[in-house]
Amino acid sequence: MLAAVDHVQLAAPPGSEDLLRVYYVEVLGMTEIPKPPVLAARGGCWFRAGAVQLHLGIEKDFRPAKKAHPGLRVTGIEAFAARLRARRAEVTWDDNLPGHRRFYSEDPVGNRLEFLEPHGSAEQPGSRAQERLGS
């Protein structure tokens, strides 16, 4: 029986670990977690924020994931998007998922990431969702 998603793995090109650390730690606010030594020898890096784990594995013939992506639930999506923009990460809003505010961004190697928050969650004052509701 499936109980939970343990982690999501994305691919990255050889030698990109420092770029990934800057993005996932400094931009997204995740913490790098150590890989077991036998796996660390392969390169790549792992990150965590609460129960969310993203593993970046090195792939020799790397091609970024443009359609496939993790969907990451956030709180305070407007503030989170502002954090990314302030750190020069692109934010592309998409209002096509009913009941949610969401945007896409890409990590520094081109992998697509989705960030979403259900309507009715604690949002920052002045958020677009609140403005649409006439608050």
Side-chain angles (χ1 to χ4, degrees), residues 53-105:
Q53 280 194 45
L54 295 176
H55 296 181
L56 281 292
I58 299 304
E59 192 170 283
K60 184 178 141 190
D61 297 323
F62 169 75
R63 289 188 343 198
K66 296 296 186 180
K67 183 69 173 172
H69 61 274
L72 303 168
R73 177 88 46 101
V74 299
T75 57
I77 196 164
E78 294 286 340
F80 195 74
R83 174 191 174 98
L84 270 65
R85 285 192 305 269
R87 289 164 175 82
R88 296 190 174 102
E90 186 175 326
V91 169
T92 303
W93 288 98
D94 180 351
D95 293 328
N96 294 317
L97 181 63
H100 293 79
R101 284 283 293 137
R102 74 174 175 174
F103 67 86
Y104 293 96
S105 191

Side-chain angles (χ1 to χ4, degrees), residues 7-128:
H7 67 276
V8 172
Q9 178 150 329
L10 298 170
S16 63
E17 289 89 347
D18 289 341
L19 284 173
L20 298 169
R21 287 182 179 101
V22 168
Y23 181 79
Y24 286 93
V25 173
E26 295 178 19
V27 176
L28 296 188
M30 299 182 85
T31 300
E32 185 171 4
I33 54 177
K35 292 179 69 172
V38 69
L39 298 177
R42 300 178 187 172
C45 29
W46 293 359
F47 303 96
R48 170 182 292 184
V52 175
Q53 280 194 45
L54 295 176
H55 296 181
L56 281 292
I58 299 304
E59 192 170 283
K60 184 178 141 190
D61 297 323
F62 169 75
R63 289 188 343 198
K66 296 296 186 180
K67 183 69 173 172
H69 61 274
L72 303 168
R73 177 88 46 101
V74 299
T75 57
I77 196 164
E78 294 286 340
F80 195 74
R83 174 191 174 98
L84 270 65
R85 285 192 305 269
R87 289 164 175 82
R88 296 190 174 102
E90 186 175 326
V91 169
T92 303
W93 288 98
D94 180 351
D95 293 328
N96 294 317
L97 181 63
H100 293 79
R101 284 283 293 137
R102 74 174 175 174
F103 67 86
Y104 293 96
S105 191
E106 290 184 356
D107 73 9
V109 298
N111 289 312
R112 182 182 196 198
L113 303 171
E114 177 183 351
F115 301 92
L116 65 156
E117 180 177 47
H119 287 304
S121 296
E123 293 192 62
Q124 300 297 319
S127 73
R128 292 183 202 177

